[in-house]
Amino acid sequence: MRRMGDRMKIYNTLTKKKEEFVPIEPGKVRMYVCGPTVYNLIHIGNARPMIVFDTVRRYMEHKGYVVNYVSNFTDVDDKIIKKAAEEGVKASEISERYIAECKKDMQALNVRPATTHPLATREIAGMEEMIGTLIEKGHAYVAADGTVYFRVNSFPEYGKLSHKNLDELEGGKRSLLVSGMDQKEDPLDFVLWKPKKEGEPFWESPWCDGRPGWHIECSVMSKRYLGDEIDIHAGGEDLIFPHHENEIAQSEAANGKTFARYWMHNAFLNIDNRKMSKSAGNFFTVRDILQKYDPMVLRFFMLSAHYRSPLNFSAELMEAAANGLDRIRTAVSNLHFMIQNAKENELNDAEKALLDQAKEFSEKFDAAMEDDFNTADAISAVFELVKFVNTNASAERSRAFLQALLEEILALSDICGLIVEKEEALLDTDIENLIAERQAARKEKNFARADEIRRELLEKGILLEDTREGVKWKRV
Ligand code: AMP
Ligand code: ZN
């Protein structure tokens, strides 16, 4: 019999089916996740794809795949330009500020940095090249004012991802053409390059001074860092149309190859059953939430639902997440305590049998994850393991037995990116003592030790400042 969990299934938006995952190159995964437009602090809706796809990546790595994970920042956009004008600063100042803030939030949520985080503004040459190819191949045209449009009817497969009927799409937009408001050949055509407006950032191009459209960015960054064909392309479900549909049209028309094999989309994080969004104003930033909750509670909450199910944010569900996380943490700290006090080292036969039983929880966990990353069921398997630990771990058990259970819980938590072991926070008195030790070392001209203490403290998030009034410290 085949062991559970050695075939990964992914729901593919393109085929509307769960499919077995077969990578282009054995043992390797090329994955692109559309990142945020950076003009504000990210909200917890934006954090959903970050957490979900970070977990997908962690699981794949756990299975032995080498994952090349690319996620962009859209750092040129109308909203960024508007915010810059409001503040009277350059657009780049806004985008740099919010990229830095976004990275802080990601770190707090234990979302690992991508292999590459490309920035749209650094990839303009590649965009001009792809737009040039599309024009050459008859897939794009230049309007009188220098705007470049993609010619949708040159790509017969348009609509294949969103399963939209082209006639319906056309009908909705025809009125624009009739009114003469549009310079497009067809209402469905979309912008690849647009002319600059006064005071906006721009780049020179063969068509006009201007800037790229949003969709071309991702086609180009994906090609540059992952190649013409990739395994997984992902993002929130609002991106299916038009963003991802347009990315497919651009990439496949330009490269002549299938762009992405598997398209994964997370459902929305809602509030009062409505999509959380910046424009609707019904949002909480990650920063707001972290004022009240441990970041791991937010991560746990996100993973407590399957990524394709809508998830409604509520204080009750956050409370449930906090309790769930606490159950795991309590089991972990009990195990630590018992390990320290264990009398026997070696496993006995009864314990060996119990550990075999405990392995079933890891198998269950894997089976849930292999079934289109069902983190809700995977977390249930972790709870079963916790229950098993609570029943079977005791002061009489051997150290090896307790250690094996601890490692199993920690391994599963780690795949979810949940930090369940808290590093002991440095107490103020510990800090003061170390500072006193550093002062003493300096007096004795033992500068090596003094520097070492400074570094140690910094690693634990404590910054020392030598001032005229003495040494000051702050948490950073
Ligand atoms: P944006 O900055 O709006 O382009 O969004 C960045 C990412 O967050 C995209 O993958 C969006 O689909 C996703 N996203 C935005 N709002 C939500 C939400 N309420 N729930 C889940 N995902 C969202
Ligand atoms: Zn994108």
Side-chain angles (χ1 to χ4, degrees), residues 32 34 218 243 247:
Y32 186 96
C34 290
C218 289
H243 186 53
E247 280 188 43

Side-chain angles (χ1 to χ4, degrees), residues 63-92:
K63 285 277 126 180
Y65 287 106
V66 175
V67 184
N68 190 349
Y69 189 97
V70 176
S71 190
N72 66 299
F73 288 110
T74 294
D75 63 344
V76 57
D77 168 270
D78 288 343
K79 295 182 204 113
I80 300 173
I81 293 167
K82 183 164 169 260
K83 176 102 173 187
E86 280 163 15
E87 288 194 18
V89 298
K90 287 201 324 211
S92 57

Side-chain angles (χ1 to χ4, degrees), residues 68 70 116 118-119 122-123 220-227:
N68 190 349
V70 176
T116 313
L119 304 182
R122 309 259 170 92
E123 309 287 340
V220 167
M221 293 188 269
S222 179
K223 179 181 167 85
R224 164 121 192 244
Y225 296 98
L226 297 170

